[in-house]
Amino acid sequence: MATTLFLGDAPLTLDDVRAVADCGQTVALGAQAQQAISASFDFLLHSISAGKHIYGVTTGLGANVDTTLLHTQNDRHDEDLLQAIQRRIPLARAVGVGQQATPAQVRAIMLARLAGFVQGASGISLPVAQTLLAFINEGIHPRVPLIGSIGEADLAPLAHIGRALIGDGEAEYQGTVAPVSALLNQTGLTPAPLRGKDGLALVSSNAASVGLAALLLHDAARLMNAHAGAIALSFEAFRANISPLTPWAARMRPAPQQAKTASYLLALLEGSPLLQPGNARSLQDPLSFRCVAPVLACVCHAWLNARAAVELELNSADDNPGLLAESEQVLANANFDATHLALALESLGLALARHAACSGERIMKLMSPAASGLPRFLTRHARQTGFATLQKTVSALVSDIAHHASRSPR
């Protein structure tokens, strides 16, 4: 792992997010990133002075878009009023409830938002971006309730981070929760003065969803790897037929990732007697064994699609409006819409639920002498239940996973 991650020098990846969130890697703004942030902010100030109508800066938000809040005369505006407007934005939207994000999750969220800033379209001021950066590096983790986002920008979770940057609210630091104002004094940091579009830029993003998704995908990758090993062990115990894993099966139907997945499972079985003709117990095994390659391949395919969607967001700007210095545009847009991200993650959830069902059924088959030829409930001791009670936990987990993967919108 590199000593410092320089944002803006290379595309941000899932591994980068994990390194910062879980391993405490130091983050810095590359020279190009600083230039991009400064150029967008300078263009914002120029646009304000020119009297342009800018959503959330000179106008109200939401239904109040038709209300002018900031007037410009002779290329001058009321800077105190502008700062007050931007300060109110995170304070008024810090209304989240429910489970608090862990420090690792908060770090991932802050990094995802900072990654959006370096695209040079948010209009954020460099000092505010640097304060967010300092929170990451100093290990100051604002308390962020995770309920409050409704799918079009994570306003509430990000507002709790925004309020912390100006010295309001509470944060975790070195295992203790304390007022942010006290932590700023302790670490020598100063509250960020919100100018221009700073307040809106801090909250108008899907960075909470993206940061959490990056950590989820990293965990899912570890889970998939562990389950591949469990599948190989199950094949050994069951003396399963490896015919569905052979390259010919994938050639018959070249579904995405199926050939690669089957090949990996066969590699895990290298040296096994199962690879020799005639060593399988049955000509055709139960579906939970026969379908391991197609089902796990679907999980892998869905994971790759989800990674592409998350890494797209990590390296994009979802700010509305966008402050584009190069083309001199204050651009109203809908880049905050996360439909593609939601569909990718929902597909992964459904694939994992199907995989969980197959995994649960394999456990049941292994405990059945009629199916596996192994001792009942995997114990040689007569009149003992062995792992029988584990079946209840397995069934409950499979049901719970299916519920979470297919829950309907409220």
Side-chain angles (χ1 to χ4, degrees), residues 146-372:
L146 290 175
I147 297 177
S149 174
I150 57 173
E152 297 289 2
D154 299 323
L155 299 177
L158 294 180
H160 283 273
I161 294 175
R163 72 185 289 197
L165 296 185
I166 60 176
D168 191 58
E170 293 182 328
E172 184 275 340
Y173 178 68
Q174 298 182 351
T176 301
V177 175
V180 174
S181 56
L183 295 177
L184 292 179
N185 291 331
Q186 183 177 344
T187 56
L189 299 179
T190 57
L194 302 187
R195 304 176 56 203
K197 182 175 168 275
D198 289 341
L200 181 59
L202 286 169
V203 306
S204 184
S205 168
N206 293 308
S209 298
V210 173
L212 296 179
L215 296 181
L216 178 148
L217 290 178
H218 188 268
D219 289 345
R222 295 172 59 192
L223 176 71
M224 290 155 54
N225 189 55
H227 272 236
I231 288 170
L233 291 172
S234 297
F235 264 59
E236 293 278 15
F238 199 80
R239 288 175 51 208
N241 195 319
I242 65 163
S243 176
L245 302 181
T246 59
W248 289 105
R251 291 179 190 177
M252 290 173 61
R253 189 191 68 169
Q257 297 299 311
Q258 183 170 329
K260 186 175 181 179
T261 301
S263 176
Y264 180 62
L265 292 174
L266 280 176
L268 293 177
L269 290 167
E270 184 178 359
S272 170
L274 296 177
L275 300 181
Q276 303 302 318
N279 281 340
R281 206 169 44 80
S282 300
L283 176 64
Q284 187 159 276
D285 294 322
L287 289 176
S288 57
F289 284 87
R290 266 188 290 157
C291 295
V292 291
V295 172
L296 188 57
C298 286
V299 176
C300 293
H301 183 58
W303 186 91
L304 289 171
N305 288 339
R307 182 185 68 178
V310 170
E311 291 188 342
L312 170 67
E313 293 297 317
L314 286 171
N315 295 282
S316 301
D318 57 2
D319 297 271
N320 177 51
L323 278 299
L324 310 181
E326 183 178 1
S327 59
E328 297 184 346
Q329 293 186 80
V330 178
L331 186 65
N333 65 84
N335 287 350
F336 51 80
D337 183 83
T339 301
H340 76 106
L341 182 64
L343 289 176
L345 293 171
E346 291 290 339
S347 294
L348 176 59
L350 291 171
L352 285 169
R354 171 65 172 160
H355 176 65
C358 290
S359 297
E361 188 59 26
R362 280 194 299 276
I363 293 173
M364 302 302 185
K365 295 299 184 189
L366 287 168
M367 292 192 193
S368 169
S372 68

Side-chain angles (χ1 to χ4, degrees), residues 126-136 164-166 184 189-193:
L126 186 58
V128 171
Q130 290 172 329
T131 301
L132 182 59
L133 177 70
F135 269 51
I136 295 175
L165 296 185
I166 60 176
L184 292 179
L189 299 179
T190 57

